[in-house]
Amino acid sequence: LDITPDFITIDGGEGGTGAAPPEFSNRVGSPLTEALFLVDTMLVGAGLRERIKIISAGKIITGFHLVRQLALGADICNSARGMMFALGCIQAL
């Protein structure tokens, strides 16, 4: 059988809630750009990149952040932080 997932979602360590303790948000998880590059490279090396979409999420605020993730290999980007800013959420900082 040749079974693969349809997509993989990568959420960087920068994301998450502003209510989390600072030591968690600053020291847990891999940075999104490094994780995205790693997964994209591994899928290309395994010959699976054409079959599996990559979804990127985590601290994508501006259009520049979105384009950077697409350039690093993401097919789709999730962005909630900018919307939280627009609503006045101070914990999204």
Side-chain angles (χ1 to χ4, degrees), residues 3-91:
I3 301 172
T4 59
D6 293 328
F7 62 89
I8 296 173
T9 302
I10 302 167
D11 194 350
E14 309 90 353
T17 175
E23 54 273 0
F24 287 169
S25 60
N26 294 337
R27 293 180 175 80
V28 175
S30 296
L32 177 59
T33 54
E34 293 175 19
L36 179 57
F37 180 75
L38 175 69
V39 170
D40 183 55
T41 304
M42 291 176 70
L43 289 175
V44 168
L48 297 172
R49 184 60 182 96
E50 295 299 320
R51 298 172 54 196
I52 301 174
K53 300 294 181 197
I54 297 176
I55 301 174
S56 174
K59 211 165 191 177
I60 299 172
I61 304 168
T62 66
F64 172 77
H65 294 122
L66 186 126
V67 170
R68 179 178 59 192
Q69 302 311 311
L70 294 174
L72 286 170
D75 295 301
I76 303 167
C77 293
N78 291 336
S79 176
R81 189 173 298 250
M83 296 10 154
M84 296 298 288
F85 284 150
L87 291 172
C89 179
I90 60 170
Q91 289 188 329

